[in-house]
Amino acid sequence: PQAHPTKEDTMKLKELLHGLDVLELHADETLDITGVHYDSRQVMRGGLFVAISGFQTDGHKYIPKAAENGAACIVCEKKPEMQIPYVLVSDARAALAVLGANWFGHPADDMRVIGITGTNGKTTSTYLLKHVLEQTLGAKVGLIGTIQNMIGDEILHTERTTPESFELQKLFADMRDAGCTHVIMEVSSHALVLHRADQIRFSAAVFTNLTEDHLDFHKTMDAYCDAKAMLFRRCETGAVNVDDAYAKRIMEQADCRLLTYSAQGNPASLMAEHVELFSDRVEFDAVYQNKRASVTLGIPGIFSVYNALGVIAAALALNIPLQKIADALRTAQSVKGRVEVVPTPGKDYTVLIDYSHTPDSLENILKAVRGFCTGRVIAVFGCGGDRDPYKRPVMGKIAAELSDLAIVTSDNPRTEDPYKILRQILAGMQDTETPYEVIESRVSAIGRAMELARKNDVIVLCGKGHETYQEIGHEKYHLDEREVVASYLEAKA
C-alpha cells in the first residue's frame, strides 16, 4: 500500500493540488501543508482551510478564524477579503474530494469498491454482500452505511449515510491499512450531488429502486433519479433492477457494462423464478447465463428477493460463481431494524421493527407481513419532521389500506410541531374504514398496540428501525423500541 500522511506529516501544496482545476493560484506551491480542514475551529498552524458554501452557513465567513488558528493557505470560491495565500476554485466541495484523495494517497484505488444506491434496500444489501464476499472469497471487507461503518468485524460509529469526502477518504485509508481488499458502501443521492463520493472508481454499482424521498432536496423525482444515475458513470459494471419504473432512465445515463435483474419476468441478465414467500424466509431460483441456483434467504418479504438479486448481480460482476453466491446467502442473517423480530416471551403475538420511513418501504413491509400474518396487522407509524411533507398523507393512506388497525404517532419531529405532522398524515386516512388511533407519544403508542394485540396478530413498528433515539427540536433523546417492548412486558408481568 502507498504511504499516506499522518497528522505528523506534511505535504507540499503542489502535490495536494494535483488534479485540481485551479482558477487562480495566489500561494507558493512549495508550502508545507500540515493538514486539511473545512471547519475553521480545527485548523492548526500550517493547515489548509477549505471554505465551503454550505446550506446553513458560508465557510468564507470563517476565513479570518482559520487564519487566526494558523492556516497557511485557503481554498475558496471567492477571493478572501484579507491578505492570505489562497487557491481559487469553482467548486470547493469538489476540491475537498480531490484534496482528500491526494492527502491519503488515493486509498480507494487499492481496493475493489462496490456502491449500492436506491431509495430502499441499500442497508440490507450492503450487509448481505459483505457476508457473501467474506464467505466466498475469504475477503476482509469494509462497509460504509447508514447504521454503522465497519472494518472487517470492527464497528465504527456513523453520523450520515455517506461521510463528507475528506472523512470518506480517511475511512478508505484506514480500511486499506487494515488489510481490506473490498469496500461496500451505501451511496446516497446527496453524496453524489455534493461531491462526497468523487474520486472513487467503483468496480460495481447496484440500483435497487426509486420511490418518493428526499424531494425537499432534489425537488423532482427526475432530478432525484439523475442524481442516482451519476454513480453509473463512474463504475465498471452496473446492476440495475429493471422491474423499477426508473430503471430505463438510469440505464440511458449509464456509462458502464450493465447487468440487469428481474423478479417479474421482465427480460434481464439475472432472473428470479419460482419465488416462494414464507413468514421467516424467501426461496427462489436464480437463473443467469443458463445456470440455475436455488436461493434461500432468511428474511421475509418480496423485497428480500430484490435485495438478494442485487447482491447476486454485484457478486457476479466480481466473477464469483452463481452457486457459491447462493450457498453464502443461505447463511446470511437479517439486519438490525430491518424486518427485525423483537422477543415477546410468553405472548402469542409478534412484534417487528422496520425502518420503513418512505411510502414505498411502508407499503413493502405491510404487504410482506400481510403475506404471512394469520391474525391482524397492526401498524404503528409516523413521519419525520423537517423532511418531505408530501409523503405524509400518502403514508397515512397506505397504512389505512394495508393494516387492520393503525396507530399514528411521532417519528422524529425535529423542529416541526408534531401535531401538525400528525394532521398531515391523517389527511390521507379520512375516507378509510380501517380503525385508527392517534397517540403522539411513541412509547405510549407502542404500549397501546401491545395492549390491543390478540393471538396471531403482528405489530409492525415502522420508521425507526436501527435508531435508538428520537429527535425532538435539535436534541436526540434515547428511545430504543426493543427496550420499550421489554419494559411494557415487564410492567404487565
Side-chain angles (χ1 to χ4, degrees), residues 45-81:
R45 184 153 303 284
L48 182 74
F49 175 62
V50 186
I52 293 174
S53 302
F55 297 103
Q56 308 294 330
T57 187
D58 185 351
H60 293 80
K61 288 191 335 195
Y62 301 97
I63 291 174
K65 177 66 178 169
E68 186 187 315
N69 286 348
C73 185
I74 308 294
V75 172
C76 48
E77 296 169 7
K78 297 176 279 199
K79 294 178 183 180
E81 293 174 2

Side-chain angles (χ1 to χ4, degrees), residues 61 65 117 129 137 226 232 241 305 320 365 368 446 492:
K61 288 191 335 195
K65 177 66 178 169
T117 199
L129 184 55
L137 302 177
D226 294 346
F232 298 86
N241 169 16
V305 176
I320 301 170
I365 184 62
I446 293 169
K492 288 296 170 188

Side-chain angles (χ1 to χ4, degrees), residues 1-5 100-101 103-111 144 151 165-180 183:
Q2 211 172 333
H4 68 274
W103 182 261
F104 292 107
H106 292 267
D109 293 351
D110 295 327
M111 299 172 289
I144 301 170
I151 298 178
S165 60
F166 196 80
E167 282 78 18
L168 186 58
Q169 292 295 336
K170 182 184 185 305
L171 196 49
F172 275 122
D174 291 343
M175 289 174 173
R176 173 196 61 193
D177 296 347
C180 290
V183 178

Side-chain angles (χ1 to χ4, degrees), residues 174-305:
D174 291 343
M175 289 174 173
R176 173 196 61 193
D177 296 347
C180 290
T181 54
H182 295 72
V183 178
I184 304 160
M185 64 182 286
E186 294 183 45
V187 186
S188 68
S189 50
H190 288 70
L192 290 160
V193 172
L194 300 175
H195 301 285
R196 291 182 201 145
D198 284 10
Q199 303 295 305
I200 301 163
R201 183 67 185 167
F202 294 86
S203 293
V206 179
F207 168 69
T208 60
N209 50 60
L210 200 76
T211 57
E212 189 170 307
D213 198 19
H214 301 306
L215 293 193
D216 50 331
F217 180 80
H218 295 290
K219 307 305 178 198
T220 68
M221 285 299 291
D222 283 351
Y224 181 30
C225 179
D226 294 346
K228 298 285 190 192
M230 292 167 71
L231 180 60
F232 298 86
R233 294 196 291 277
R234 54 181 80 166
C235 71
E236 292 164 28
T237 303
V240 178
N241 169 16
V242 291
D243 294 344
D244 188 84
Y246 283 89
K248 185 170 181 284
R249 191 177 179 100
I250 292 279
M251 292 191 290
E252 282 170 353
Q253 298 182 56
D255 183 20
C256 62
R257 178 174 84 99
L258 288 171
L259 201 164
T260 53
Y261 61 92
S262 169
Q264 291 179 13
N266 289 315
S269 327
L270 171 66
M271 309 280 286
E273 295 181 355
H274 307 132
V275 175
E276 291 193 79
L277 308 176
F278 300 93
S279 62
D280 60 345
R281 68 192 187 282
V282 295
E283 293 181 5
F284 65 93
D285 285 349
V287 183
Y288 176 72
Q289 292 184 347
N290 299 318
K291 293 187 178 69
R292 182 181 292 268
S294 173
V295 178
T296 299
L297 179 61
I299 309 172
I302 185 66
F303 47 82
S304 291
V305 176

